[in-house]
Amino acid sequence: MGDAWPHVVIVGGGFGGLEAAKRLANKPVRVTLIDRRNHHLFQPLLYQVATGGLSAAEVAMPIRKVLHKHKNIAVWLADVAEVQPTENQLHFVDGRSLSYDFLIVASGATHSYFGRDDWAQLAPGLKSIEDAFEIRRRIFLAFEMAERTEDPVERAKYLTFLVVGAGPTGVEMAGSIAEIARNTLSGEFRSINPHDARVILIEGLDRVLSNFAPPLSASAQASLQRLGVEVRTLARVTNITFEGVTLDGREHIAARTVLWAAGVRGSPLGATLGATLERNGQVQVDACLRVPAHPNIYVVGDLASIVCKGQRVPGVAQGALQMGRLAAQNIVRAVANQPQQAFVYNDKGSMATIGRSHAVAQIKRLQLTGILAWLAWALVHLMSLIGFRNRMVTLVNWVWAYFTYQRSGRLIFERGQSATTSITDAAAGTSPPPQAPSPIELNKAASTEPESNAATSLG
């Protein structure tokens, strides 16, 4: 390896970025992979961290650990502020910069509140480990607050959980919260019956899992309703406050916990690439995944907008993996002065789980529901996790949870103050401190790579 080798910089250690790095291992290039977190996150199982089913270590793996054997790859923990494509440079938040010969941008997506960014503190989304911890705090603290509240009206608010958006993340989240209330917490409280909790799933379209075939959507909705989830379709959220959600400008649902799974937007880094953006912030790329005005810049994963075979490639894990793979191959071809290859998306199918023994799966023309789909979902996820230990620990946790209905990750961690102080402030109606909002106060207030990579796909 020498300094004369072309320098390839990859921004983002998600599915697309990590796959690109692996494909460039031991090639005649120098690779620097940059991420603002030190771990690769398996997003399709992140909702289980948020609902206490798994710990964070079981769905994440240090990026250095994954790539440590590849001597031509360096890993940087840094936050990229912008790209200057005319100068072939990245600028970091700390003021430093880095030059590149080729750039792969795989910085993924963030939450979209459709112009109402003030809802972010009231209705958190699920894109990171930090998001999962915050959601877990809100869910389990809501039951704790209800236990200590004597006013039946206030107690009902704490026992009402609203999930906005019925894609895979929303469906899986709503089903898990219903199971927590009806099974996991059964018999553990003295003043409340967790079974009385209301879980409401709100969707603006006419069915849940709209990207699945209608029979699978119907099966998923029936499973949710058997779990006790109230499914509200053709309902549009027009306002979110500390007191709950307003639907269609007229119906108010009082709730202390609102979770957001309704939309995503491309990473802000895409706006610095000198490319045309879609309305949702995605970067329009050419057939070879390049920025048209800067052909040494490739965009992959949730940030890339590309149409293949007449359909836009969805923001799911398998799409990111395939894009990362091709971007790496095209860089190797460019170094060797060979022609670029066009991206062809291979849709291997999609899955979503609803509770402990039901799922839906769409694999080409094959449609599966019930326990068979759930077993297929579990197998695909276990095999997709990075690391033998993660697979084994996850398997043990799932088997234990299946037979006991218990969840291993129910610990509540406060941020910046004691639980007693937070509960007192929340009961008094104190507004959350702007620098470090209290989880319980945010209960009073109370959505990725992709709805996005959170949607399970067979990659």
Side-chain angles (χ1 to χ4, degrees):
M1 185 176 68
D3 293 338
W5 286 0
H7 186 203
V8 180
V9 174
I10 302 172
V11 180
F15 289 108
L18 191 62
E19 180 67 14
K22 290 179 180 178
R23 296 288 170 164
L24 290 171
N26 305 316
K27 303 296 183 182
V29 293
R30 295 177 293 122
V31 180
T32 303
L33 189 150
I34 303 168
D35 199 295
R36 59 183 177 182
R37 293 179 175 86
N38 77 328
H39 55 269
H40 167 77
L41 179 63
F42 189 73
Q43 281 194 330
L45 288 180
L46 188 57
Y47 83 96
Q48 293 209 1
V49 178
T51 55
L54 295 173
S55 71
E58 287 148 25
V59 301
M61 176 68 71
I63 296 173
R64 292 187 183 279
K65 176 64 176 176
V66 178
L67 300 175
H68 76 282
K69 293 183 179 179
H70 306 305
K71 301 304 181 183
N72 67 322
I73 301 178
V75 178
W76 283 19
L77 182 66
D79 194 355
V80 179
E82 66 173 348
V83 178
Q84 291 195 341
T86 57
E87 299 178 7
N88 290 342
Q89 278 197 338
L90 300 177
H91 291 276
F92 299 99
V93 171
D94 62 8
R96 300 183 183 185
S97 61
L98 179 68
S99 298
Y100 61 83
D101 296 302
F102 295 93
L103 176 65
I104 299 177
V105 182
S107 51
T110 185
H111 314 296
S112 173
Y113 291 89
F114 308 109
R116 292 299 305 269
D117 292 342
D118 55 309
W119 291 352
Q121 288 293 314
L122 305 174
L126 185 61
K127 289 293 180 187
S128 67
I129 292 291
E130 293 85 352
D131 293 337
F133 286 165
E134 178 62 24
I135 289 172
R136 186 175 71 186
R137 278 194 293 265
R138 296 188 186 206
I139 291 172
F140 289 104
L141 283 172
F143 289 100
E144 299 295 338
M145 288 296 294
E147 174 80 352
R148 296 187 58 181
T149 302
E150 296 182 358
D151 184 347
V153 175
E154 287 298 309
R155 179 176 290 175
K157 292 178 182 179
Y158 282 114
L159 291 179
T160 300
F161 302 85
L162 298 176
V163 181
V164 183
T169 298
V171 165
E172 292 169 343
M173 187 77 69
S176 293
I177 297 172
E179 287 194 330
I180 288 171
R182 284 149 183 77
N183 299 316
T184 305
L185 300 180
S186 179
E188 295 189 3
F189 291 83
R190 299 298 173 260
S191 300
I192 64 170
N193 181 359
H195 194 277
D196 293 335
R198 292 180 68 194
V199 182
I200 305 172
L201 180 61
I202 301 169
E203 171 56 47
L205 300 178
D206 60 351
R207 60 190 176 96
V208 305
L209 298 178
S210 59
N211 291 332
F212 287 69
L216 297 181
S217 295
S219 176
Q221 180 165 333
S223 295
L224 287 167
Q225 291 169 336
R226 282 194 295 270
L227 286 171
V229 178
E230 301 175 34
V231 180
R232 301 286 302 273
T233 56
L234 296 174
R236 186 170 61 94
V237 174
T238 53
N239 197 25
I240 302 176
T241 69
F242 287 95
E243 295 295 326
V245 166
T246 301
L247 300 181
D248 300 311
R250 57 181 184 273
E251 180 185 1
H252 180 74
I253 302 177
R256 296 300 194 208
T257 305
V258 182
L259 306 176
W260 188 264
V264 295
R265 181 173 181 80
S267 162
L269 198 61
T272 70
L273 299 180
T276 302
L277 302 181
E278 304 285 359
R279 291 183 60 185
N280 66 354
Q282 285 185 304
V283 177
Q284 293 183 4
V285 296
D286 66 15
C288 303
L289 304 177
R290 300 172 298 183
V291 173
H294 304 284
N296 64 331
I297 299 179
Y298 297 78
V299 182
V300 305
D302 295 348
L303 187 57
S305 173
I306 185 170
V307 175
C308 187
K309 300 178 182 178
Q311 293 186 336
R312 191 169 302 281
V313 177
V316 294
Q318 60 178 309
L321 288 167
Q322 293 174 32
M323 288 185 196
R325 195 173 303 141
L326 181 71
Q329 292 171 353
N330 274 341
I331 287 176
V332 173
R333 296 177 70 85
V335 170
N337 293 318
Q338 296 176 347
Q340 301 281 282
Q341 292 183 335
F343 178 71
V344 179
Y345 178 55
N346 178 20
D347 187 353
K348 297 181 180 180
S350 299
M351 295 178 168
T353 181
I354 308 99
R356 62 192 287 272
S357 59
H358 186 91
V360 293
Q362 186 170 284
I363 308 169
K364 303 296 183 181
R365 296 184 179 181
L366 177 64
Q367 297 179 10
L368 300 175
T369 61
I371 187 67
L372 183 60
W374 185 81
L375 290 172
W377 172 90
L379 178 62
V380 167
H381 281 70
L382 284 175
M383 297 307 296
S384 299
L385 282 170
I386 297 177
F388 178 79
R389 176 197 172 277
N390 284 0
R391 297 189 189 108
M392 291 300 100
V393 173
T394 299
L395 176 61
V396 170
N397 280 333
W398 282 351
V399 172
W400 175 257
Y402 185 86
F403 288 106
T404 67
Y405 293 93
Q406 293 302 305
R407 293 170 181 262
S408 61
R410 288 167 47 191
L411 299 181
I412 301 170
F413 297 102
E414 285 297 310
R415 181 169 52 190
Q417 56 185 321
S418 71
T420 302
T421 301
S422 299
I423 291 173
T424 302
D425 291 345
T430 306
S431 297
Q435 72 278 13
S438 158
I440 294 186
E441 289 183 31
L442 286 176
N443 258 324
K444 196 168 184 178
S447 342
T448 347
E449 293 162 21
E451 182 81 317
S452 142
N453 288 344
T456 302
S457 58
L458 305 176

